[in-house]
Amino acid sequence: MRARIGEATDIGLVRERNEDGYLVRPPLFAVADGMGGHRGGEVASRLALETLDRPGAAPLAERVREANRVVYERSMLDRSVAGMGTTLTAAALEGDRLRLAHVGDSRAYLLREGRLERLTEDHTMVHRMVREGRLTEEEAAWHPYRSVLTRALGTEPDVPVDEAVVEVRPGDRVLLCTDGLTSMVPDARIGQILRATADPQEAADRLVEEAIAAGGLDNVTVVVLDLEEDRGGAAWDTAGKGARRRGRGGSTALRRPRLGRAGLALLLTAALGGLAAAGLRAYLDRQWYVGISHGNVAVFRGIPTSVAGFELHRVVLETDIPAGPVLELAFYRDLPTGITADDRAAAMAIVAQIREDLAARDRAGGGGGGA
Ligand code: MN
């Protein structure tokens, strides 16, 4: 089996950096979504993908565990990236089998005969609650803790890796993506786009565009693999080679996303200086998130960014919870860049949850173990 490949990544409309990364090194493919303060998220996803990409014959899951060790050791050695981590969803094409290794809340899907099937399970608090029957899928989709991970790569010396092997056949389409897609675009819509778009590169571009049109609240990364009979010759093909890159994708193996915020900056600068300022203010006043202020966990109003020197947020409440130990817990992946909440109550609920998780960690002996 060989794959025709589509790939795309975008910083989105809100984030300061693109901490996602992906690997296209046929027959190996992966996406990673980094987390952590300063440059931690970018470092974690890049290190994980580089480690996965090292030559060698180790089984896929072992390479993922090795990536975990590399990220973890770096975070121990370098204070500036302490507490960093990343998701990693990797797929290796082995003849007519697709081998998967997975940690976190990035996902792999299979589209076969028009039906979209999820191949991975999210390692998130809300997914666990759904499994336990405490939440419905619909409630989970907009839950304030939906991005809180129960498992991440690089936050502990060792990590359990989910493994799966799927029999694949010509005509199958595989999607690897970060939660910047799945938190913005429902599965039904993802399936629609995949069914309606024959070319894999075009499908990848359209999925990213849809996530941005839906708000683009997170970095978004997708890899689309169209499987076909291998009739000798090249073992794979980059479908969109040279075409329709638009500065987002690329065919080199390890692609770090490029900054693409210029358009938003211009738009907001114009808005701040012009008639739309009042509308923007009203918009910002409806946005809430939990982040860090003066080293403490804090509740903010606005969006966690600044444009042309204007801070688009303000602190509403600075708690007495120091951010350091929270980052050690590492489930609060988005704290440094802001965990978004639907309203003030939801933001306060996140703060309460942080307090509870810290207390639980302390009771457990400060080990910072899995939630
Ligand atoms: Mn993400």
Side-chain angles (χ1 to χ4, degrees):
M1 207 80 68
R2 56 179 233 153
R4 296 175 61 234
I5 304 158
E7 54 192 71
T9 187
D10 199 284
I11 191 170
L13 299 178
V14 173
R15 297 301 174 91
E16 298 273 1
R17 301 187 176 91
N18 192 342
E19 300 183 318
D20 283 1
Y22 68 91
L23 176 71
V24 168
R25 180 84 84 193
L28 179 60
F29 309 90
V31 295
D33 176 353
M35 61 189 183
H38 307 285
R39 301 183 58 81
E42 286 167 284
V43 172
S45 57
R46 182 174 47 75
L47 266 183
L49 292 170
E50 279 173 3
T51 307
L52 192 69
D53 192 29
R54 280 182 197 163
L60 186 62
E62 181 46 39
R63 294 161 84 162
V64 171
R65 278 188 285 271
E66 174 63 13
N68 179 75
R69 284 189 288 274
V70 168
V71 175
Y72 180 74
E73 276 161 24
R74 175 71 63 87
S75 80
M76 290 289 115
L77 291 171
D78 182 352
R79 285 184 62 86
S80 74
V81 294
M84 69 175 171
T86 183
T87 72
L88 185 59
T89 300
L93 201 49
E94 302 170 353
D96 55 1
R97 285 145 47 109
L98 186 76
R99 183 176 298 278
L100 294 164
H102 160 76
V103 175
D105 67 349
S106 299
R107 289 179 184 173
Y109 289 86
L110 174 66
L111 183 78
R112 173 176 291 168
E113 283 155 14
R115 224 176 56 86
L116 187 68
E117 185 193 346
R118 221 183 275 180
L119 300 177
T120 50
E121 205 172 337
D122 294 349
H123 300 135
T124 58
M125 254 166 62
V126 294
H127 180 72
R128 198 170 55 194
M129 288 161 85
V130 168
R131 243 183 14 208
E132 291 166 356
R134 293 155 65 197
L135 275 185
T136 65
E137 284 278 356
E138 293 68 39
E139 287 165 337
W142 297 105
H143 198 279
Y145 314 153
R146 63 186 177 273
S147 63
V148 177
L149 293 185
T150 52
R151 218 193 278 178
L153 197 105
T155 59
E156 304 284 334
D158 204 7
V159 68
V161 176
D162 284 0
E163 296 182 64
V165 174
V166 183
E167 305 285 339
V168 287
R169 42 193 201 234
D172 282 352
R173 175 173 268 187
V174 175
L175 168 68
L176 305 179
C177 60
T178 59
D179 73 330
L181 176 69
T182 52
S183 65
M184 304 305 301
V185 185
D187 279 14
R189 180 72 186 134
I190 292 173
Q192 249 175 18
I193 291 170
L194 288 176
R195 280 189 294 273
T197 317
D199 179 74
Q201 183 58 47
E202 220 163 278
D205 288 338
R206 283 194 57 191
L207 289 171
V208 166
E209 280 158 15
E210 187 84 4
I212 288 170
L217 297 181
D218 195 2
N219 309 144
V220 51
T221 300
V222 305
V223 173
V224 175
L225 306 173
D226 279 356
L227 305 186
E228 54 184 31
E229 207 84 65
D230 190 358
R231 294 194 179 83
W236 49 276
D237 173 44
T238 301
K241 200 176 282 174
R244 288 187 301 279
R245 289 290 176 216
R246 291 185 324 213
R248 271 181 191 161
S251 57
T252 40
L254 241 188
R255 174 153 299 276
R256 287 311 304 164
R258 297 168 201 160
L259 293 182
R261 304 186 65 246
L264 175 71
L266 280 174
L267 184 80
L268 287 179
T269 306
L272 284 164
L275 294 170
L280 180 67
R281 191 74 254 161
Y283 168 78
L284 291 175
D285 276 344
R286 288 194 304 274
Q287 312 302 313
W288 293 84
Y289 70 96
V290 178
I292 301 173
S293 171
H294 301 108
N296 286 348
V297 173
V299 173
F300 292 79
R301 210 163 178 175
I303 54 176
T305 191
S306 63
V307 170
F310 291 91
E311 295 290 331
L312 299 183
H313 50 80
R314 57 197 159 89
V315 178
V316 173
L317 169 76
E318 194 174 296
T319 71
D320 57 357
I321 308 171
V326 180
L327 294 177
E328 268 165 43
L329 273 180
F331 310 136
Y332 294 99
R333 50 184 317 191
D334 289 332
L335 188 64
T337 47
I339 302 172
T340 55
D342 291 341
D343 52 30
R344 185 194 175 94
M348 294 308 291
I350 293 171
V351 170
Q353 186 66 39
I354 289 173
R355 226 183 260 285
E356 228 170 84
D357 287 349
L358 274 182
R361 201 265 313 247
D362 291 343
R363 278 196 302 276

